[in-house]
Amino acid sequence: MRVLGAAELLSLWERGMPRHMLDRAALLTATARPDWPAKSIADLPLGTIGASLLRLRAANFGPHIEAHADCRHCGQRLAFSLDVAKLLQGAPPEDDAPPCAPTAAVAGLQVRAPSLRDLAAVTDLPPDAAAQALLARCTLTGQSAGLDAAARTQVEDALEALDPQADLAFTLNCVACGQEDMAQLDMPTLLWDEITARAGLLLHDVHSLASAYGWSEAQILALSPARRAHYLALVEGMS
Ligand SMILES: [Zn+2]
């Protein structure tokens, strides 16, 4: 998996900044998998997107995710720690070819796993209408409208089984109210926040070193992280 250089990370951050989060997820996946046709990424199953982002995250920010979520019962802010290797258990191996969207026959329908393009198409709808529209988009044959509750549950279970990695769920135990809950790891947002934080630090480094030495941005970003840190320590020691 790719380790992003300083200039590459800043360029990624700049290109992703004006985009919608779903579009950022596609951009991050294209960065993780430059060997995949860029046009195919919006149509990949969401589990493939998640696994690619987990691997990109591990290569650039380490194998342990330390983050926060709010308890849904009492609102307490909770720290959690996750292992990327554990989240990738059951994910397809990091092979060269992008997988095709898997399909299943269920409740008289032929359905396929949803993609980023599907989510983008329904993102502005209210939740119930979005779920209905998403199912209609992912129905290859048959009529998804008017399914009874039991058939709907069957279809939802089948979609989950098609792409089990699409939901990166984990258990969250609240230290304040004692409730146990399932939480979802929003991998594109998490990775994007980390890239934004690192971009801010890099820009700060550029500012400090350019101010002190008159070097260009390109020269500063081309320094190894160890040399950059060393010069920064010298500059901070002078001030
Ligand atoms: Zn709680």
Side-chain angles (χ1 to χ4, degrees):
M1 185 47 73
R2 287 174 84 187
V3 177
L4 301 171
E8 202 178 4
L9 184 135
L10 272 183
S11 158
L12 176 65
W13 168 72
E14 197 171 16
R15 280 179 292 145
M17 213 172 10
R19 300 191 189 199
H20 184 278
M21 204 56 229
L22 291 168
D23 210 9
R24 281 182 194 152
L27 176 69
L28 292 171
T29 307
T31 303
R33 298 306 305 248
D35 52 324
W36 287 351
K39 278 187 183 165
S40 73
I41 283 170
D43 297 308
L44 292 176
L46 297 175
T48 302
I49 300 290
S52 301
L53 298 190
L54 278 169
R55 291 183 172 119
L56 182 65
R57 198 278 172 191
N60 287 278
F61 297 93
H64 305 291
I65 294 173
E66 312 281 344
H68 290 88
D70 294 333
C71 173
R72 282 198 298 180
H73 301 282
C74 71
Q76 172 76 32
R77 196 154 174 74
L78 300 169
F80 62 85
S81 173
L82 298 169
D83 223 328
V84 170
K86 263 194 189 159
L87 292 167
L88 281 171
Q89 268 172 12
E94 199 176 351
D95 60 12
D96 290 334
C100 298
T103 66
V106 57
L109 309 178
Q110 184 78 19
V111 291
R112 64 166 172 79
S115 65
L116 286 174
R117 193 186 304 283
D118 297 319
L119 293 186
V122 306
T123 190
D124 292 331
L125 298 175
D128 281 353
Q132 187 64 46
L134 191 66
L135 179 56
R137 285 182 63 89
C138 295
T139 300
L140 302 172
T141 57
Q143 192 52 255
S144 66
L147 289 180
D148 62 29
R152 248 194 112 85
T153 307
Q154 272 184 349
V155 173
E156 279 162 17
D157 290 348
L159 283 173
E160 206 176 303
L162 274 180
D163 192 15
Q165 288 281 312
D167 284 329
L168 295 169
F170 61 97
T171 312
L172 198 60
N173 290 302
C174 181
V175 288
C177 72
Q179 294 272 0
E180 187 181 285
D181 207 353
M182 290 306 286
Q184 301 284 336
L185 184 65
D186 182 349
M187 203 48 218
T189 300
L190 178 100
L191 182 54
W192 183 254
D193 288 349
E194 290 177 314
I195 286 170
T196 301
R198 186 170 287 178
L201 292 174
L202 281 170
L203 291 174
H204 178 267
D205 292 358
V206 169
H207 169 73
S208 299
L209 294 180
S211 302
Y213 298 113
W215 296 338
S216 72
E217 185 193 59
Q219 286 171 324
I220 294 165
L221 294 179
L223 292 170
S224 70
R227 283 192 192 193
R228 206 163 45 234
H230 202 87
Y231 283 122
L232 277 169
L234 289 173
V235 168
E236 274 153 27
M238 286 189 302
S239 60

